[in-house]
Amino acid sequence: MGEEEGGSKAVRNTVVAVGGAGCLLFPATLAGGAVVIIIFCGLGVLLAPLIAIYLLFHLIFGGGGSDDVPGPGDASAVIAVFQGDGRGDLDTSTVPKDLVDPIQEAGKLCSDIGPIVIASQIEKSSDFNASLVGPDGKQGISQLPPDIFTKYGKDDDDNGKTSALDAEDSIMAQGHYMCDLADQARKMIAANEAAGSVLDLALAGYDVGMDAVRAAKGVPQTNEAQGYVAAVRAQFAKYSGLAAIPSGMATPTGIQTSLPTAVPTESLAPTPTP
């Protein structure tokens, strides 16, 4: 009994570290009485174990009953997916039906970038808003800069026009661009010009540019670059189906699921004040 309660406590009490300035710690209560302690800190959050993304969807949409709390095995599966290469099968129920095919196709363009990566980037970039226009000139569901879309975009849905605001054109351009970045990353690693995984370097290149990655000889040690890589990886569990929303329920908007890291509170418990 004590062991079971301990396991539930380790999963329920989760620390989420999100890249940012300063260092703030406060509790937030979710469905089922789960307590999540949010810590906003600086650098160093990349690729730490992730449990919070699973808890958010499971507790909010999965019933939240005490008999239905995920155990250590579930958390381990989420951690493995978070740290993996994102090349597993996409859970098609987690993306809009009209985007399943282009996401799947974009994820087949090269062996380094799977559909889970594509879907995770889209959520991070636009939350699946195909008409989004960013203040920096980026457009569409994949939020590609105009010059990048001009280079990689084409009329993939054969509707007679090529537009960054066309979801299929944008997603396929994203896939081609990511494959190019992955190829550059692989060559940099082989030449000892950068350290890290092909996927992480490609993701960082997508966000801050490959010149910045090359100059840093890896993922740049900045909140922006590390936070982006971690935030995209945080979606892998969702789009692989481990933290999927139950069938028949619309994908929520306005719920922040881009949680870069999570570790049990026991490992970060503050020292009591005398």
Side-chain angles (χ1 to χ4, degrees), residues 8-9 11-13 28-36 55-70:
S8 296
K9 180 180 179 182
V11 178
R12 283 174 175 270
N13 298 326
T29 303
L30 295 178
V35 176
V36 176
L55 288 173
L56 274 172
F57 281 90
H58 185 92
L59 293 174
I60 293 176
F61 300 109
S66 59
D67 295 333
D68 197 33
V69 175

Side-chain angles (χ1 to χ4, degrees), residues 33-268:
V35 176
V36 176
I37 297 178
I38 310 295
I39 298 179
F40 291 90
C41 288
L43 300 177
V45 301
L46 184 60
L47 301 185
L50 178 71
I51 300 173
I53 180 66
Y54 181 86
L55 288 173
L56 274 172
F57 281 90
H58 185 92
L59 293 174
I60 293 176
F61 300 109
S66 59
D67 295 333
D68 197 33
V69 175
D74 300 302
S76 296
V78 174
I79 291 170
V81 171
F82 174 74
Q83 296 175 327
D85 57 19
R87 286 183 284 186
D89 293 329
L90 174 73
D91 182 341
T92 58
S93 68
T94 60
V95 299
K97 291 182 179 179
D98 61 329
L99 298 180
V100 170
D101 287 344
I103 290 174
Q104 294 276 43
E105 288 301 313
K108 295 177 182 177
L109 292 173
C110 62
S111 61
D112 292 303
I113 308 299
I116 290 174
V117 176
I118 297 295
S120 298
Q121 284 187 289
I122 291 173
E123 176 161 330
K124 170 62 178 172
S125 298
S126 70
D127 197 19
F128 292 90
N129 181 357
S131 61
L132 181 65
V133 176
D136 52 2
K138 296 179 181 178
Q139 295 183 336
I141 198 167
S142 301
Q143 286 292 282
L144 293 169
D147 60 325
I148 297 298
F149 183 79
T150 298
K151 181 177 180 179
Y152 296 95
K154 62 180 181 178
D155 183 17
D156 281 289
D157 54 4
D158 297 321
N159 65 353
K161 62 179 181 179
T162 301
S163 171
L165 298 177
D166 182 310
E168 186 164 343
D169 292 353
S170 183
I171 292 171
M172 291 301 292
Q174 172 192 348
H176 284 293
Y177 183 38
M178 280 297 294
C179 287
D180 189 355
L181 292 173
D183 183 58
Q184 293 182 53
R186 187 177 299 282
K187 292 176 180 177
M188 289 166 60
I189 293 171
N192 292 320
E193 295 176 352
S197 73
V198 169
L199 178 58
D200 287 344
L201 297 184
L203 287 172
Y206 190 93
D207 185 54
V208 298
M210 216 52 168
D211 287 343
V213 173
R214 184 173 286 102
K217 298 183 178 181
V219 177
Q221 297 293 308
T222 64
N223 283 358
E224 180 179 1
Q226 291 198 15
Y228 179 82
V229 175
V232 171
R233 281 186 170 277
Q235 310 302 325
F236 287 1
K238 173 181 177 179
Y239 292 107
S240 66
L242 286 177
I245 299 169
S247 59
M249 182 174 291
T251 301
T253 57
I255 294 179
Q256 174 63 14
T257 58
S258 301
L259 305 174
T261 70
V263 294
T265 50
E266 285 79 357
S267 65
L268 289 178

